Amino acid sequence: MQHYTEDPLMDGPRREHRLLLEPVGTTRSLFGAEAALFAAACSAGDWMDPSRYDRDGHFEGFDLHMQALQQQLRETEAPGEAHHDRPDLEA
């Protein structure tokens, strides 16, 4: 399956589902560098992660959310594609 950012079926949902990051604090590395921590949510309201992660950690979680949405959309909107447009295999 294509990545959700390249899937034409996901064009509409990609506009509705945006990653929202809210700063919730900072942390220091072993060498003293400061890094921001965030809580995250989806703008559509169907996913959130209150964990205090850096930006990249939330990108991974949001990608999993969008992947699940893509899978659900493919099952409901494009049933023939799962079987390469062969209705005889859909039963």
Side-chain angles (χ1 to χ4, degrees), residues 4-35:
Y4 75 89
T5 58
E6 300 170 349
D7 188 346
L9 195 57
M10 291 292 289
D11 284 347
R14 256 197 326 270
R15 285 193 276 291
E16 298 167 12
H17 295 258
R18 298 283 184 194
L19 177 62
L20 305 174
L21 296 173
E22 182 170 335
V24 293
T26 59
T27 187
R28 288 199 180 276
S29 73
L30 184 60
F31 302 107
E34 194 169 286

Side-chain angles (χ1 to χ4, degrees), residues 8-89:
L9 195 57
M10 291 292 289
D11 284 347
R14 256 197 326 270
R15 285 193 276 291
E16 298 167 12
H17 295 258
R18 298 283 184 194
L19 177 62
L20 305 174
L21 296 173
E22 182 170 335
V24 293
T26 59
T27 187
R28 288 199 180 276
S29 73
L30 184 60
F31 302 107
E34 194 169 286
L37 297 175
F38 301 92
C42 177
S43 62
D46 58 352
W47 174 83
M48 74 173 270
D49 187 351
S51 302
R52 296 168 48 109
Y53 293 139
D54 65 359
R55 224 173 33 112
D56 294 336
H58 286 302
F59 283 140
E60 292 175 20
F62 187 72
D63 277 350
L64 291 174
H65 161 64
M66 291 301 288
Q67 182 182 24
L69 180 68
Q70 179 187 26
Q71 185 67 33
Q72 179 184 11
L73 193 62
R74 288 218 158 264
E75 289 171 0
T76 57
E77 303 254 343
E81 189 172 307
H83 298 289
H84 308 291
D85 295 324
R86 291 192 51 195
D88 57 319
L89 298 177

